[in-house]
């Protein structure tokens, strides 16, 4: 079965506090987005990639690829107004037919190889698979009338990417009209009435969003 990955990298990096979008920031001498693509390429060398970037960032990405002699083959799609439309644009470059396609955040370079393999393997049968990790801190629910209350954290999971689906299912899901409740790909698929299977993620698979996250990323690379 063909394997595809859509890497969504449309962030402006406002919470990083700099002018360079977070997906292009270097970690130990290499841009985050390149590290993300290499993680998947080294795990599955037959995987085919689509990178989704805002149009105004595409020439800079091309420049970076030349500067770093980046060798992972990939197509580029233009980002949309929301993540939903960005994924939909990337999905348009995936051919019809049998196959599985993952959607991954471009600023999550530390997903484990075993998580990638498990998500893709399970998706061939379950059709919709997402990696999750346990909630380790106490969670409180804010009440409509004010105040808050503790909820049992063992009833909740934190969702990561890649979220992996059969090509046919994800294309069908993204033919729906957008609604604000679509917060990730799993929620789009669930709107069809299709269930989603969970597999264990890895705690290191963090989404790099703040300067503190970059410090964690550097520590992870140093080992």
């Amino acid at each position: 079965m063909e394997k595809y990955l859509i890497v969504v990298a449309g962030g402006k990096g406002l919470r990083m506090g700099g002018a360079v979008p977070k997906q292009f920031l270097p970690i130990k001498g290499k841009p985050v987005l390149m590290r993300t693509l290499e993680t998947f390429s080294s795990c599955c060398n037959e995987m085919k990639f689509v990178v989704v970037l805002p149009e105004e960032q595409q020439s800079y990405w091309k420049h970076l690829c030349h500067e770093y002699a980046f060798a992972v083959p990939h197509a580029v799609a233009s980002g949309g107004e929301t993540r939903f439309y960005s994924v939909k644009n990337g999905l348009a470059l995936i051919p019809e037919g049998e196959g599985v396609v993952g959607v991954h955040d471009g600023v999550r370079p530390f997903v484990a190889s075993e998580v990638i393999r498990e998500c893709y393997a399970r998706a061939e049968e379950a059709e919709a698979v997402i990696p999750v990790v346990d909630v380790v801190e106490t969670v409180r629910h804010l009440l409509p009338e004010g105040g808050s209350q503790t909820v049992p954290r063992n009833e909740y999971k934190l969702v990561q990417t890649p979220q992996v689906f059969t090509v046919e299912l994800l294309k069908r899901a993204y033919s729906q009209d957008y609604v604000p409740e679509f917060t990730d790909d799993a929620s789009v698929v669930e709107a069809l009435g299709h269930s989603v299977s969970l597999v264990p993620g890895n705690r290191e698979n963090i989404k790099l969003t703040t300067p503190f996250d970059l410090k964690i990323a550097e520590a992870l690379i140093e080992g």
Side-chain angles (χ1 to χ4, degrees):
M1 214 177 248
E2 294 282 358
K3 295 181 176 64
Y4 304 94
L5 181 72
I6 298 170
V7 180
V8 184
K12 296 179 180 176
L14 298 179
R15 278 176 283 183
M16 284 293 185
V20 178
K22 57 188 177 183
Q23 59 267 23
F24 301 143
L25 291 174
I27 305 177
K28 294 296 182 182
K30 185 176 294 185
V32 171
L33 182 54
M34 291 184 185
R35 290 193 177 276
T36 299
L37 286 165
E38 287 176 346
T39 295
F40 282 84
S41 180
S42 62
C43 175
C44 182
N45 57 19
E46 73 270 18
M47 191 173 289
K48 298 175 182 177
F49 299 96
V50 175
V51 175
V52 184
L53 287 167
E55 288 186 9
E56 65 270 19
Q57 295 178 7
Q58 291 176 16
S59 60
Y60 183 60
W61 171 244
K62 185 176 181 180
H63 165 76
L64 286 176
C65 288
H66 176 75
E67 179 182 345
Y68 286 84
F70 186 61
V72 177
H74 61 278
V76 176
S78 295
E81 183 179 350
T82 65
R83 188 183 189 280
F84 175 89
Y85 291 109
S86 291
V87 174
K88 188 169 184 174
N89 291 348
L91 196 56
L93 300 186
I94 305 297
E96 304 281 352
E98 288 193 358
V100 288
V101 54
V103 183
H104 189 67
D105 298 320
V107 289
R108 286 186 189 265
F110 299 113
V111 57
S113 295
E114 55 267 28
V115 173
I116 297 171
R117 295 190 188 99
E118 181 68 8
C119 286
Y120 275 83
R122 286 280 299 279
E124 292 187 12
E125 295 183 2
E127 296 187 325
V129 177
I130 62 174
V132 298
V133 293
D134 293 335
V135 178
V136 296
E137 299 186 39
T138 298
V139 177
R140 293 190 69 83
H141 172 61
L142 302 181
L143 302 173
E145 65 274 13
S148 63
Q149 64 182 18
T150 301
V151 296
R153 63 188 178 193
N154 62 316
E155 294 181 4
Y156 296 87
K157 296 287 184 181
L158 301 178
V159 178
Q160 301 180 330
T161 65
Q163 300 187 6
V164 186
F165 312 88
T166 59
V167 171
E168 185 278 331
L169 175 60
L170 196 61
K171 281 182 175 285
R172 185 155 47 93
Y174 272 90
S175 68
Q176 300 174 102
D177 292 332
Y178 170 76
V179 295
E181 289 73 24
F182 291 161
T183 56
D184 66 354
D185 310 289
S187 60
V188 181
V189 167
E190 285 177 321
L192 290 178
H194 198 288
S195 61
V196 174
S197 296
L198 310 182
V199 300
N202 64 294
R203 184 65 60 183
E204 299 83 1
N205 185 19
I206 60 172
K207 186 176 183 180
L208 305 182
T209 306
T210 68
F212 178 70
D213 297 332
L214 289 181
K215 294 182 182 297
I216 295 175
E218 290 174 354
L220 288 171
I221 291 171
E222 289 175 352

